[in-house]
Amino acid sequence: MFIAAYMVLVISFYSIILLISVFQLRKEYMLDRNQTLDEYMNETFAKPVSIIVPAYNEEAGIVASVRSLLSIDYPSFEIIVVNDGSKDATMDKLIENYDMREINPAVRKMVETETVKKIYQSASLPHLYLIDKENGGKADALNAGINFSHYPYFCSLDGDSVLERDAFLKVMKPIMDSNGEVIASSGSIRIANGCEIQDGNILKVGLASEPLVVMQIIEYLRAFLMGRIGLSRHNLLLIVSGAFGVFSKQWVIEAGGYKTNTVGEDMELVVRLHRLIRDKKQKKKIVYVPDPVCWTEVPESMTYLRRQRRRWHRGLFESLWTHRKMTFNARYGLIGFVSFPYFWIVEFIGPIVELLGYLYVIVSLFLGGIYLEFAILIFLLSCLYGSLFSMAAVLLEEWSLRKFPKISDLMKLFFYSMTETLWYRPLTVFWRCEGIWQLIKGDTSWGEMKRKGVSG
Amino acid sequence: MLKNEIYLLGVSAAVILGLLMLILLYLVIRKWMEHRIRRKINESIQMLSPQIFEYISEGKISRHLHLDSDIKKKAAEELLSKFAAYLTGEDETEKLREFADSHLRNYFQRQLKSRRWSIRMNALFHIEDLHLTELQSHVLETAMKERISHDERVQSLRILAVFQYEGIFDLLLSNSDNLSDGELRNIILRLNDHKFCEFILGFHQAGKQLKYAVVDAAGIRKDLKYVNFIESVYASYHGETRLRAVKALSSLGVVKDLSPYLKLRHSGDWKERMMAAKLFGSLKEPELLPYLLELLHDASWWVRSQAGQSIMLFPDGREKLQLVLETSNDAYAKDMAWEWMNKGDFV
């Protein structure tokens, strides 16, 4: 009954995390969140931020993305678009639309990157820059942006995502409040598919009609509102999503910047930062705050979703493996004893165990009798239990951000979450197992698909 | 034995299913109620808006104006906050405050005692917005509580500062252990000159964070009467406090005597050299320009960058940088000169 024991372990872990999140969000229920921000907008001492947007073949959306960034509410920031050797007209579009002129600045090379060819500055908007460099992947583009950036904090942002106007103030708040104790802070990622977007602003939040997207919405709610709040509270966060996170430049440089030869550069960096914090015996924190929201597009087709999941799983393994010494290492405290085991056992091994579970159900179909009843019940139970967590996440959403205006949205989320175990879960489990298989084969596609091919 | 387990599993499945249904029911009813209440509040706002506006602008109180339900009170609260944000006239603000005091004082007082953190926080926000000085004693009570969340403490101290509360200095001395310098600065900036001077007089008693905040605030106030104070801080303190003093002086752009600051440019700490460059730039004394050109050749990027920016502030700065570009052997200094000459007029 290995599977049952495993289930109990996983379920109890989730339940604990859920409890922590429930208490946290219940406390903040109906808080007038905008009120707390007025302060920071007038803050003479607001920390300036460099926003780094890596772009690879994004001619379709880059101009709109930059336009939406230009209109954010934040006292001082600069935008650095890094063209990572695009083969399309990304460069030309930017140069043409924003009147970019070549400049020749003194750049401190703090992290090694591929050759930077040219740097441009907009003549009409002097805080908009464009770096043109040889292709080297997303991590390398971010590193080039870090080298060039002028400010002590930087934010990594995907080219195809849309920020709410006050998201920056909200995500910087913990950093400004904490006397520099918080060295990285990230917000929620929500799914833009199904929402009305115009000129880089969210007009109306809606629920997409594609089942695949709705399932991902539930998944994201669960991951962010349940998982990350719980982990963040005890400084156990190992993932700051690459799509929207602010980091202290000094710490990232000290850690050596983004690692270029991995597919999970965002997680790897956070793990390395945690390691650095503990090695230097400092009391620094990496936090997640739920209310700054970044809307991003997710795959709508099986093909891309499958690739994404396989890649994520490999990235997860690479980060864990590179830093495997931290597992159960007393030196790294709770990170070593809670986060690492959690990611190894629940996140990495999980799909294999679940796959075994599905196989067990199928086998018992042939054995029949008592085994069949037993299997069906276990299956039913896991179905319901999964839905319970999903609904709990929806509940947390309703207590905190309340982005879905309609009752019908809630009903829809409910019924989709009931079906998760029937089709979506097995699919993702299978894809993640494929990711493990690719690892075992030492697949040549190591570096394949570094950039997501969602809306490019 | 297996039968038993199946029974157990069956029961748990039923329980979970029940739970799920409960959650769904709760979510739907909640959403429905929320919509209903929102609609009612909006209706009340429609109704109250002209009446409250009339009172604020003309002082006439309508006979129909009864805030007899929580929904109406909530509506009034939202309306008043909105008015408070864009009313500027003293008379009107006073009327608004009066109105809020007579109609909503008990409402907020009750909220301050709520068991829920977010309700207490919201009440504090509104007390600040509507300037309800009558509730000062209650806010003070909150600020002095032993067991209280960090946010509540910060917000209540901030309100007391806005109200120019008599004992604010002592309160901050004794009751602000975990506050960051930024939070303290935000509180102190709300004080009038008179109260602020208490902080200057008692400067030596303050803890590190409070010291930083006071020096920063003195710089932000941009009032020449604080120059003496900041210079004395510079003369008698070290490290970060001294650095903050230089920063404050460069925000004021004045010093009595240059000589104590000249040695900063040779400091072993790049932050002090950078601050020296910043100060020299804001003082704009022609005799300082050669020092800045020296700092443009500094080993630290931050110092060079600040020196470049400061040089540009001088009337003949651009020509000086041009000269560096043409004559210097230092590639880094030339780069920096070029960068600042070609920067748009921002930062």
Side-chain angles (χ1 to χ4, degrees), chain A residues 164-217:
Chain A
E164 288 189 359
R165 288 170 59 101
D166 55 3
F168 253 98
L169 280 171
K170 285 176 175 167
V171 82
M172 283 301 287
K173 189 175 178 291
I175 292 179
M176 294 200 266
D177 280 351
S178 72
N179 267 341
E181 195 180 284
V182 173
I183 59 166
S185 159
S186 69
S188 297
I189 309 288
R190 296 293 283 269
I191 292 173
N193 310 45
C195 301
E196 273 174 47
I197 301 178
Q198 197 181 35
D199 278 345
N201 288 310
I202 293 277
L203 294 182
K204 199 165 140 263
V205 177
L207 213 49
S209 49
E210 300 85 357
L212 210 54
V213 177
V214 179
M215 288 320 303
Q216 289 181 77
I217 290 177

Side-chain angles (χ1 to χ4, degrees), chain B residues 42-89:
Chain B
N42 286 345
E43 279 166 13
S44 299
I45 288 182
Q46 291 292 325
M47 192 191 74
L48 289 172
S49 180
Q51 296 178 354
I52 293 183
F53 190 75
E54 196 180 45
Y55 176 77
I56 290 172
S57 54
E58 293 161 37
K60 270 194 286 188
I61 191 104
S62 163
R63 278 188 299 116
H64 307 291
L65 194 58
H66 294 298
L67 301 182
D68 46 10
S69 68
D70 271 5
I71 287 192
K72 281 191 185 156
K73 283 180 180 150
K74 176 93 185 106
E77 170 200 294
E78 283 184 18
L79 263 174
L80 290 174
S81 298
K82 207 168 77 187
F83 286 150
Y86 54 77
L87 273 185
T88 43

